[in-house]
Amino acid sequence: MEDIDAMFSDLLGEMNLLTQSLGQEAAPAADPPTSTKEVNFSIGFSDLNASLNELEDKDLDDLMSDLMADLNATEEKLAAELQSLEAPPPPDLPPPPKGLIAPAAAAPTSPASPASVCTPSSTATSPLPAPPPQSVKPSKEDLEAQLKAEKIKLALEKLKEAKVKKLVVKVLMNDGSSKTLMVDERQTVREVLDNLFEKTHCDCNVDWSLRETNHELQLERTFEDHENLVEPLSAWTRDSENKVLFLERGEKYEVFKNPQNFYLWKKDKKALKEIKDKDKEILIKENFCGTSTIVPDLESVLHLREDGKKSWKQRLFQLRASGIYYVPKGKTKSSRDLVCFVQFDNINVYYGNDFKTKYKAPTDFCFVLKHPQIQKESQYIKYLCCDDAWTMNLWVTGIRIAKYGSVLYENFKTAEKKAVVSSAWTNRSTPSSSNPSTPSPTVKAKAQSQANGHAPKPQPGPVSQDFGHLPPPPPPCPNDDLPPPPPDPVFPPPPPPLAAKRSPKTAGRSQHPQGNFPPPPPEMDHLPPPPPMEESPPDFLPPPPPMNSLPHPPPPPASFGGVDHSLPPPPPDPEFLPPPPPDPQVTGGGGPPPPPPPPPPPPPASAPAPRGALRPTGSAKKMPPAPPKRTTPVMGGGGGGGGGGGGDFMSELMKAMQKKRSDQ
Amino acid sequence: MAAWDLSVIVEDLGADAPPITISVTSDLHIGGVILKLVEKMQIKRDWSDHALWWEQKQRWLLRTAWTLEKCEVHADARLVFMPQHKPLKLGLPNGLTLKLRACFSNPVFQTVMGICRLLNIRRPEELSLLRPVEEKKKKKDKDLSEDIYDLTEVPLSSVSRPCLYNGMPAHFADSDKLEAVYKMLSVTQPLPAPEVIAKQYRPASVVDKAHINGRWLDSSRCLMQQGIKENDRIWLRFKFFSFYDIDPKYDVVRVTQLYEQARWAVLLEDIDCTEEEMMLFGALQYHISKVSQSEPQMLCSSAALDDLETALQSLEVKMEGESSSASELLKTMTAPELNDYLKIFRPKRLTLKGYKQYWFKFQDTSISYFKSKEESIGEPIQQINLKGCEVAPDVNVAAQKFLIKLLIPAPEGMNEVYLRCENEQQYAQWMAACRLASKGKSLADSTFQSEIDSIRSFLAMQKTNGSQGHADASDESINPHSLVSPRYHKKYKPKQLTPRILDAYQNVAQLSLTDALMRFLQIWQALPDFGLSYVVVRFKGSRKDEVLGIAPNRLIRIDLAVGDVIKTWRYNNMKQWNVNWDIKQVAIEFEGNVNIAFSCLTADCKIVHEFIGGYIFMSTRSREKSEVLNEELFHKLTGGHEAL
């Protein structure tokens, strides 16, 4: 375990170093305190450990493979580049790291040695930098330069990719439960919603929204579908009690469902109700499909909270495409006399909660304009109060239209398409999609495992359940909207797609170790995987048996192992897995679980010994280093209090991974 | 059948020449009359464009197969034989005048179609002709500009199918002179001098704005019928503010002229806007004029590529120099940065220390500062990320004050930070860097240099305006008063105006010419009063004059005194509308038994009728049948009694 920890921390340090030295990255590399990283990494959790523990299998896999892939790719490219640049690699160069296991010494905070690199990748790398400069030389210097440029370009791209920020986000469902997912900074809210649709099997209608709440300011805002989720979440403060909610919000796209209520709001309500669909279409076309988006013509007396004071003052406000204006005292409403109150470039609009109590507002129908990064009480926040809910809705929607323009309509159309497709899909495949029920068991499983529940009944349960659960993810992965094939209850099929799905680079690379037979230990590692998997359950509290899917016969261990094997990211897997001497400490704390049925591994408290015994072959060779080093990290991880460095984070990650595995 | 004498005046023979008399019978058709006439004159030339105009009845005899009897022509008729296409002085939306041949015999709608075809403007149904506002100025300088642009020589036959040659319609490619005309049409005009703007007529009220709409020509009748003579001045303007399917690729002239019309509408306060909007319009005009002057070399390299390019270049330079080790290699890949001594001040801090000098470093999107250059290797005193911040200039060139005001968002609110630069050069660089960073772009962004340039050119603008008498104040300098309406000439001195426009400018400085034009049009179209054509009317049953605003999608009733909108009716709720031509009253019925009727005071009711019918016609245009203009439908909707 420690060596894995070490490895990870090393890798992390590596990444830091790379990005840092390239001077391209400001955020993570620049701030020394690792704590910020932690904050950046998880949203909606009290600490990082919690966040990782709740991460779903697939996400965890992704995270792992991403981390590895990014790093590997970067390394690979760098190595390739460097090698091609200077034929004889100077001694201080990182590229060909032959060491199998990185020394645990390299902590993230002191990423002094760039030399330690994850082995599988680099071994795989060496064959890759195919075109040696010599071969090119004869042709022309230009060509060489070009080649160089190409490679550097690639390297830079990879580096850029490598610094993609990822967050583990806990999203609260409207039923009180929560889902945890990983979001990378390139993902839009739309993509996250789609992701949640898959996880929850809700009806996917256009009202589903992600909503941010600001606890301290008592604010709420629905994210727009085109926004990137990570950015606003990154603005949250470390101790923030803000939340992300997944819920239906009718007002999100109300303007496209009933445009008359916004564009003809002055007309009497009855006439608006009777409006024909055709007229609605015309309204949308007029206002959203022209050269310019037309903002609803809004003008009303609103209450403005005076800066610093506790009083609210009335003013006549007007909404224009260019901003919100008010009519100064004694002036006319003519455009030229209007005073600009706010423009929309740098602000967002939020709903206020219970401002009557908090700020003595005249009503509870308040909205707020502020820079998204402002998280606390400040004179730069503008508070407005409306006479009724309807006015508030008009204004908030109007401001959104002014701010986002036709993008809103594009978002709506996309959401609508999604809703249609998925409703068609759910209708069509009702019988086969018995797995929709899986999510809830999964949640339960998590909760229990977290609570260090007892060992489960027969293993088969979890397995079959996981099967039910696992297959679905891959299908949705393809970008097209095609419904995923009905999950196949037969076991063998799933693994291949899964393995294939794993980032192609890694998948491809996983072959190399095999090709590179020479180092026997890895080879062995490759074989044994099954045992460790089965081994881990006891430590990590297998999930509870899902009652529903019992009918499945217990799977033969072989296939079981095979499946498992495909789960973790291939390259690191063979290397790292064997060691996982899932800390006995933890197990001890959780109470010794009754050894689960799975044939091989009943590893109770004393982990190392049994493992050694169990391990059929040479892998044992690799084990030795592990036990001695198992010290603080594990303890820290077990206690959950460590929380210190990136290394700790990684160890958490590892644990979570293993737990996940044990879930099977 | 008895023969009788018909006398015809041939215009081409001159005003003094006696009419030519030919002997005709009542069953002779018009074509025969023309044939006889030409034979009698014995002048060999192309008469094909000529036709007979019946002066007393104010109509053309265009149907050559009709007999004189059917046309009710008798011996007392005074017919004039003249060309159907005559030269006309056309005032363009950009304020320039173009001489061209227009059709005097077809309905104005078709005349406009012909003109637009000649000028290469798509969607001619959106434009029309109107009588110009009389100008009391001396004509001398006008005449000069008028004669420069002449399209009368273009053979009409060549215009029918515009094919492109050298990026412009082939009929402009014949000579340098014609090419110059096309350039005038398709390139925005330089900024007008402030005096020119101030001299122009500006409507002061809604009623003033209503008067212009009384000048529109009747689309259903021809120019001759409306008293337009050869070589008369007439304006071509966009009349229906419903611009269909604008495509900058095909609509170079259309977009340019539309922009010119919009620009003048803004400058002359024909459409109201707020001060902030005016500044943005000003910034866009400045940008457009700047970019259109340097049009040819429009570069479109993507930012990301550039970024990489510079990184690669710096890398390679380094590599040539030395056989670098890996770590050095990595160092060279760093993005560009700025380093300098600047002074910082935090107004909100309690300390009243004033400006303090530090060593500043600008990297990526962050500023960090150190006590001195020597200590810049260590930890900075502070690092400030500028992403999402607000950047405002506070510059006075004459006083050598170069201040960058930053408003930096933080969880607790916005932090104010002022950076003081020593000189113009330093200011331009740091300001540009701050601007880019506020948008999340680093110094490596391709727009960095152009940002610096635009800041410097703005500084130059302030310099020439602030301190007069610089010999090198070249004609390149721009008076910011050229960019805003005269109201702001009074309100702000050029010096005060510059930073305000510059402020707005930072959001548009990177737009291409086309994008800037389109942005201008978009903001114009997003103004609340956009697309409203006013007419003073008297509603049935009401005793006072009111204003009817006609918009692309609705009619609004406006209180003349207060300017408030009283009522809005949308066309798509309209069941029918009628015009009583005798009492000049327009009656409209809307769904839900809503009936309104009004008489028109500042415009003929035919004009109002045409506006309403025209907008309904505009809304029927759709993509599938977009290729062919449904002229018949237009006339049906707008023709009124002529169409019956």
Side-chain angles (χ1 to χ4, degrees):
Chain A
M1 189 64 192
E2 306 67 4
D3 46 5
I4 289 154
D5 287 350
M7 196 82 153
F8 266 111
S9 57
D10 205 15
L11 290 175
L12 206 67
E14 192 74 15
M15 261 167 115
N16 269 354
L17 179 81
L18 284 172
T19 43
Q20 227 163 10
S21 56
L22 280 167
Q24 296 214 331
E25 163 73 289
D31 12 344
T34 37
S35 55
T36 40
K37 188 167 293 155
E38 193 176 306
V39 170
N40 281 346
F41 199 83
S42 66
I43 287 289
F45 295 97
S46 48
D47 64 12
L48 181 66
N49 300 348
S51 78
L52 281 173
N53 283 336
E54 281 198 26
L55 202 55
E56 274 195 23
D57 309 344
K58 187 173 151 277
D59 291 325
L60 212 45
D61 278 344
D62 285 347
L63 178 57
M64 286 291 285
S65 65
D66 279 352
L67 280 172
M68 292 310 292
D70 287 349
L71 200 66
N72 290 346
T74 309
E75 276 302 327
E76 195 174 296
K77 292 300 168 197
L78 256 181
E81 166 206 321
L82 291 171
Q83 280 184 357
S84 68
L85 288 181
E86 337 176 0
D92 65 322
L93 270 189
K98 294 295 179 212
L100 276 184
I101 300 153
T109 36
S110 61
S113 79
S116 55
V117 180
C118 151
T119 330
S121 73
S122 52
T123 34
T125 315
S126 356
L128 273 184
Q134 287 82 354
S135 67
V136 186
K137 256 178 195 164
S139 63
K140 208 65 253 246
E141 289 226 324
D142 296 344
L143 253 175
E144 188 184 297
Q146 205 182 330
L147 199 73
K148 241 188 260 172
E150 283 294 312
K151 283 183 183 150
I152 296 165
K153 201 167 164 180
L154 253 176
L156 286 176
E157 270 163 20
K158 289 296 171 193
L159 282 171
K160 262 185 191 158
E161 217 167 90
K163 55 173 199 182
V164 169
K165 196 168 168 185
K166 294 188 176 71
L167 282 186
V168 178
V169 182
K170 178 169 169 181
V171 180
L172 298 180
M173 306 287 124
N174 48 356
D175 63 356
S177 67
S178 69
K179 288 241 176 276
T180 305
L181 42 148
M182 197 177 58
V183 185
D184 89 35
E185 65 180 338
R186 294 165 303 187
Q187 271 181 302
T188 62
V189 169
R190 178 74 255 160
E191 288 163 324
V192 177
L193 282 175
D194 290 348
N195 198 350
L196 281 164
F197 286 171
E198 277 157 24
K199 286 189 198 299
T200 59
H201 302 274
C202 65
D203 64 355
C204 306
N205 74 55
V206 299
D207 291 342
W208 284 102
S209 317
L210 276 186
R211 198 165 169 88
E212 153 190 47
T213 65
N214 184 311
H215 184 262
E216 182 161 351
L217 294 170
Q218 291 177 210
L219 299 179
E220 286 186 39
R221 176 173 87 95
T222 298
F223 292 121
E224 304 297 345
D225 287 358
H226 66 276
E227 283 182 85
N228 281 7
L229 186 58
V230 167
E231 200 179 322
L233 297 188
S234 308
W236 290 5
T237 53
R238 189 180 172 186
D239 50 350
S240 147
E241 290 177 61
N242 295 3
K243 293 188 169 65
V244 180
L245 314 177
F246 176 62
L247 72 181
E248 287 174 277
R249 297 297 303 197
E251 83 270 1
K252 185 181 184 186
Y253 290 127
E254 178 67 14
V255 67
F256 303 110
K257 290 185 263 179
N258 288 302
Q260 74 280 7
N261 292 345
F262 298 86
Y263 284 95
L264 307 175
W265 59 277
K266 286 175 188 161
K267 304 244 178 210
D268 65 290
K269 297 274 180 289
K270 215 179 91 195
L272 291 186
K273 253 180 214 157
E274 288 162 3
I275 193 164
K276 290 172 284 190
D277 283 352
K278 198 190 96 223
D279 290 336
K280 291 185 186 179
E281 271 169 40
I282 291 174
L283 275 175
I284 292 176
K285 210 177 134 206
E286 266 174 24
N287 294 295
F288 288 94
C289 304
T291 326
S292 174
T293 305
I294 307 300
V295 171
D297 174 26
L298 287 186
E299 187 182 281
S300 31
V301 174
L302 303 177
H303 307 265
L304 168 67
R305 185 167 181 252
E306 301 260 80
D307 281 349
K309 293 181 211 156
K310 280 180 184 150
S311 61
W312 293 75
K313 191 164 128 188
Q314 292 198 338
R315 274 193 188 284
L316 178 57
F317 285 93
Q318 213 185 73
L319 177 70
R320 297 169 74 99
S322 58
I324 298 177
Y325 294 78
Y326 63 85
V327 181
K329 270 203 190 92
K331 294 276 188 160
T332 66
K333 290 195 290 184
S334 114
S335 306
R336 54 185 87 120
D337 288 335
L338 294 175
V339 175
C340 187
F341 175 64
V342 72
Q343 295 191 297
F344 303 124
D345 302 329
N346 287 321
I347 59 123
N348 280 336
V349 60
Y350 300 77
Y351 286 95
N353 277 336
D354 195 23
F355 275 17
K356 227 169 156 176
T357 322
K358 190 175 166 83
Y359 298 119
K360 299 205 167 53
T363 74
D364 260 338
F365 311 110
C366 298
F367 67 94
V368 155
L369 299 159
K370 71 165 184 76
H371 194 290
Q373 290 191 24
I374 299 180
Q375 297 289 318
K376 301 185 168 165
E377 204 65 70
S378 150
Q379 53 159 330
Y380 294 95
I381 303 181
K382 303 198 188 310
Y383 303 87
L384 289 163
C385 179
C386 312
D387 285 337
D388 49 59
W390 180 232
T391 313
M392 173 176 72
N393 223 350
L394 267 181
W395 275 89
V396 173
T397 306
I399 292 165
R400 287 169 57 218
I401 295 169
K403 183 170 167 68
Y404 302 110
S406 58
V407 174
L408 275 191
Y409 187 47
E410 298 301 319
N411 287 349
F412 170 67
K413 284 192 285 189
T414 313
E416 217 180 16
K417 251 181 243 155
K418 184 81 195 171
V420 169
V421 168
S422 45
S423 71
W425 147 238
T426 38
N427 290 343
R428 214 183 320 143
S429 60
T430 342
S432 66
S433 63
S434 56
N435 54 321
S437 58
T438 24
S440 40
T442 317
V443 170
K444 236 193 285 165
K446 272 202 183 93
Q448 286 191 16
S449 61
Q450 232 177 359
N452 271 354
H454 347 302
K457 311 218 179 156
Q459 192 79 4
V463 169
S464 61
Q465 176 230 324
D466 256 310
F467 266 106
H469 184 60
L470 276 178
C477 278
N479 284 333
D480 44 346
D481 287 322
L482 285 181
D488 198 338
V490 186
F491 293 124
L498 249 185
K501 192 204 92 210
R502 210 140 304 302
S503 80
K505 297 174 237 152
T506 37
R509 215 176 294 120
S510 72
Q511 308 260 324
H512 284 277
Q514 278 170 331
N516 288 345
F517 268 16
E523 229 282 285
M524 295 320 238
D525 278 350
H526 219 69
L527 291 175
M533 315 286 182
E534 286 139 331
E535 200 175 1
S536 38
D539 309 323
F540 280 96
L541 316 168
M547 301 312 171
N548 52 355
S549 48
L550 276 179
H552 292 291
S559 78
F560 180 40
V563 170
D564 266 338
H565 172 53
S566 73
L567 277 178
D573 193 10
E575 277 296 311
F576 297 142
L577 264 191
D583 1 283
Q585 292 95 322
V586 173
T587 329
S606 57
R611 198 195 294 107
L614 277 172
R615 192 131 310 168
T617 38
S619 64
K621 280 178 214 155
K622 282 194 71 186
M623 287 335 292
K629 274 176 204 156
R630 173 185 322 127
T631 46
T632 31
V634 176
M635 293 302 263
D648 191 58
F649 149 63
M650 277 318 214
S651 71
E652 276 310 315
L653 187 62
M654 266 321 285
K655 275 190 212 141
M657 283 284 296
Q658 288 196 322
K659 167 157 13 116
K660 180 214 70 194
R661 248 172 243 131
S662 73
D663 283 357
Q664 283 135 43
Chain B
M1 199 169 271
W4 42 275
D5 281 350
L6 178 68
S7 57
V8 177
I9 298 166
V10 178
E11 206 184 59
D12 301 65
L13 298 180
D16 302 332
I20 289 171
T21 309
I22 49 173
S23 175
V24 295
T25 56
S26 290
D27 63 351
L28 182 65
H29 50 74
I30 302 294
V33 173
I34 293 174
L35 192 65
K36 274 197 165 182
L37 192 65
V38 172
E39 275 171 357
K40 183 136 190 198
M41 278 190 294
Q42 291 192 316
I43 300 172
K44 286 224 156 119
R45 53 169 287 184
D46 179 11
W47 296 101
S48 60
D49 188 45
H50 281 58
L52 290 168
W53 165 254
W54 188 356
E55 210 162 81
Q56 292 110 316
K57 296 257 174 150
Q58 287 285 300
R59 52 183 258 228
W60 289 89
L61 302 176
L62 293 174
R63 298 195 171 153
T64 48
W66 282 23
T67 61
L68 288 172
E69 192 178 19
K70 193 168 181 187
C71 294
E72 296 172 358
V73 174
H74 303 289
D76 62 343
R78 288 184 57 214
L79 300 184
V80 184
F81 190 57
M82 60 172 155
Q84 298 177 58
H85 289 81
K86 298 177 177 203
L88 199 62
K89 284 176 191 159
L90 195 69
L92 298 170
N94 64 7
L96 296 177
T97 306
L98 178 67
K99 206 167 167 189
L100 51 65
R101 279 182 190 281
C103 178
F104 275 61
S105 62
N106 284 334
V108 163
F109 187 73
Q110 282 181 8
T111 307
V112 174
M113 282 169 69
I115 292 172
C116 289
R117 211 180 299 130
L118 180 67
L119 305 185
N120 199 29
I121 297 175
R122 295 198 311 152
R123 306 281 158 202
E125 65 274 17
E126 290 161 6
L127 296 95
S128 193
L129 300 174
L130 72 168
R131 292 169 219 273
V133 178
E134 289 80 17
E135 285 163 84
K136 289 161 202 158
K137 284 173 273 170
K138 26 184 179 156
K139 286 269 164 124
K140 279 177 198 163
D141 44 0
K142 270 284 167 216
D143 287 335
L144 277 176
S145 62
E146 268 172 17
D147 292 342
I148 298 175
Y149 303 107
D150 192 337
L151 278 182
T152 50
E153 298 311 312
V154 174
L156 296 160
S157 54
S158 70
V159 177
S160 55
R161 268 274 172 102
C163 46
L164 289 186
Y165 178 82
N166 261 357
M168 60 185 161
H171 57 271
F172 285 108
D174 290 345
S175 70
D176 290 350
K177 220 177 94 191
L178 293 178
E179 233 178 285
V181 172
Y182 185 72
K183 188 158 181 263
M184 176 274 287
L185 288 169
S186 58
V187 178
T188 58
Q189 291 302 301
L191 300 171
E195 307 80 54
V196 174
I197 304 174
K199 241 194 293 180
Q200 302 250 344
Y201 167 77
R202 290 192 305 281
S205 65
V206 187
V207 178
D208 284 355
K209 290 177 192 172
H211 279 286
I212 189 85
N213 289 316
R215 302 179 164 273
W216 291 107
L217 295 186
D218 185 339
S219 299
S220 334
R221 298 194 299 152
C222 69
L223 289 177
M224 279 302 281
Q225 286 169 325
Q226 303 185 59
I228 309 294
K229 306 248 165 12
E230 188 171 332
N231 282 320
D232 271 1
R233 273 176 60 80
I234 203 101
W235 283 356
L236 176 73
R237 291 289 184 274
F238 290 89
K239 177 181 181 183
F240 295 102
F241 295 89
S242 160
F243 311 116
Y244 185 72
D245 181 29
I246 292 185
D247 184 342
K249 205 168 126 199
Y250 303 112
D251 286 328
V252 183
V253 180
R254 185 180 175 208
V255 168
T256 307
Q257 296 304 321
L258 195 52
Y259 161 73
E260 291 283 355
Q261 187 168 332
R263 177 233 289 238
W264 282 104
V266 169
L267 286 179
L268 300 178
E269 293 177 9
D270 201 29
I271 184 163
D272 275 342
C273 64
T274 65
E275 192 172 317
E276 284 72 19
E277 286 156 358
M278 182 62 87
M279 296 306 146
L280 185 51
F281 281 130
L284 280 165
Q285 288 177 72
Y286 171 78
H287 183 62
I288 288 167
S289 88
K290 210 180 86 176
V291 181
S292 62
Q293 275 161 21
S294 59
E295 167 73 315
Q297 66 275 14
M298 289 286 296
L299 36 98
C300 49
S301 63
S302 87
L305 254 175
D306 251 45
D307 181 7
L308 203 71
E309 223 62 57
T310 40
L312 288 176
Q313 268 167 15
S314 72
L315 185 71
E316 283 187 55
V317 169
K318 190 82 179 178
M319 286 189 311
E320 306 301 323
E322 57 203 288
S323 60
S324 51
S325 73
S327 55
E328 268 172 305
L329 203 72
L330 289 174
K331 264 182 216 154
T332 58
M333 283 205 227
T334 51
E337 45 180 71
L338 291 176
N339 291 291
D340 218 334
Y341 277 107
L342 301 178
K343 286 175 181 161
I344 190 169
F345 175 55
R346 296 165 166 278
K348 281 290 148 63
R349 289 276 163 93
L350 291 171
T351 51
L352 294 166
K353 277 182 194 156
Y355 287 91
K356 270 191 105 177
Q357 179 164 298
Y358 291 102
W359 176 256
F360 278 77
K361 181 170 171 184
F362 204 119
Q363 199 177 20
D364 205 27
T365 59
S366 302
I367 286 183
S368 15
Y369 58 93
F370 310 83
K371 230 177 190 145
S372 67
K373 187 179 180 181
E374 290 68 38
E375 289 174 42
S376 65
I377 309 130
E379 282 284 296
I381 296 170
Q382 201 196 357
Q383 185 175 27
I384 309 168
N385 193 345
L386 300 188
K387 207 170 165 187
C389 79
E390 285 173 37
V391 187
D394 183 359
V395 175
N396 188 334
V397 180
Q400 286 291 297
K401 176 184 170 196
F402 300 101
L403 214 55
I404 303 171
K405 289 185 172 177
L406 301 170
L407 206 53
I408 297 150
E412 297 77 25
M414 308 292 268
N415 293 321
E416 258 184 292
V417 174
Y418 296 177
L419 294 181
R420 182 157 200 157
C421 303
E422 281 301 310
N423 54 50
E424 226 177 289
Q425 169 67 26
Q426 197 184 44
Y427 168 78
Q429 281 191 348
W430 285 80
M431 187 63 171
C434 290
R435 290 242 181 90
L436 290 182
S438 73
K439 290 178 214 147
K441 295 179 189 166
S442 77
L443 293 182
D445 197 90
S446 61
T447 55
F448 182 50
Q449 193 53 45
S450 65
E451 191 78 51
I452 293 179
D453 293 344
S454 68
I455 291 169
R456 300 195 70 168
S457 73
F458 249 90
L459 289 177
M461 189 158 114
Q462 205 188 37
K463 213 188 289 177
T464 50
N465 292 312
S467 50
Q468 250 85 26
H470 275 293
D472 60 333
S474 59
D475 41 355
E476 228 183 274
S477 70
I478 293 160
N479 186 334
H481 277 177
S482 298
L483 304 168
V484 294
S485 74
R487 169 183 315 279
Y488 297 98
H489 298 184
K490 290 170 204 144
K491 194 168 174 185
Y492 298 112
K493 288 182 198 148
K495 211 164 52 177
Q496 299 167 304
L497 209 49
T498 309
R500 294 187 56 102
I501 295 179
L502 178 61
D503 216 15
Y505 178 62
Q506 55 180 303
N507 290 323
V508 299
Q510 304 307 333
L511 296 177
S512 73
L513 177 61
T514 307
D515 290 345
L517 287 169
M518 293 306 285
R519 178 73 69 84
F520 192 100
L521 296 180
Q522 275 166 13
I523 300 170
W524 176 51
Q525 291 181 63
L527 294 176
D529 292 343
F530 166 79
L532 283 173
S533 306
Y534 302 100
V535 182
V536 178
V537 297
R538 170 95 40 105
F539 276 90
K540 197 178 170 184
S542 168
R543 285 210 187 153
K544 54 177 185 183
D545 291 352
E546 283 168 278
V547 174
L548 180 75
I550 307 165
N553 57 357
R554 66 198 191 277
L555 294 173
I556 56 176
R557 182 176 182 172
I558 300 166
D559 186 299
L560 196 73
V562 192
D564 278 356
V565 174
I566 299 169
K567 191 89 186 131
T568 303
W569 303 279
R570 292 173 53 82
Y571 297 142
N572 53 317
N573 292 328
M574 193 191 276
K575 281 174 103 172
Q576 60 165 341
W577 84 103
N578 301 296
V579 181
N580 184 331
W581 300 103
D582 297 327
I583 57 168
K584 304 233 171 236
Q585 192 181 61
V586 181
I588 309 176
E589 187 189 345
F590 294 94
E591 280 165 14
N593 273 332
V594 178
N595 286 287
I596 60 168
F598 52 84
S599 53
C600 310
L601 304 180
T602 55
D604 194 276
C605 60
K606 170 66 164 70
I607 291 175
V608 174
H609 169 68
E610 211 177 282
F611 260 119
I612 297 173
Y615 274 128
I616 291 171
F617 172 77
M618 301 297 154
S619 69
T620 63
R621 295 179 293 179
S622 67
R623 228 157 259 279
E624 305 87 68
K625 36 185 177 174
S626 64
E627 284 317 306
V628 189
L629 181 56
N630 190 343
E631 211 179 313
E632 196 183 324
L633 180 63
F634 182 86
H635 284 302
K636 221 166 137 188
L637 286 166
T638 63
H641 54 314
E642 312 274 333
L644 300 175

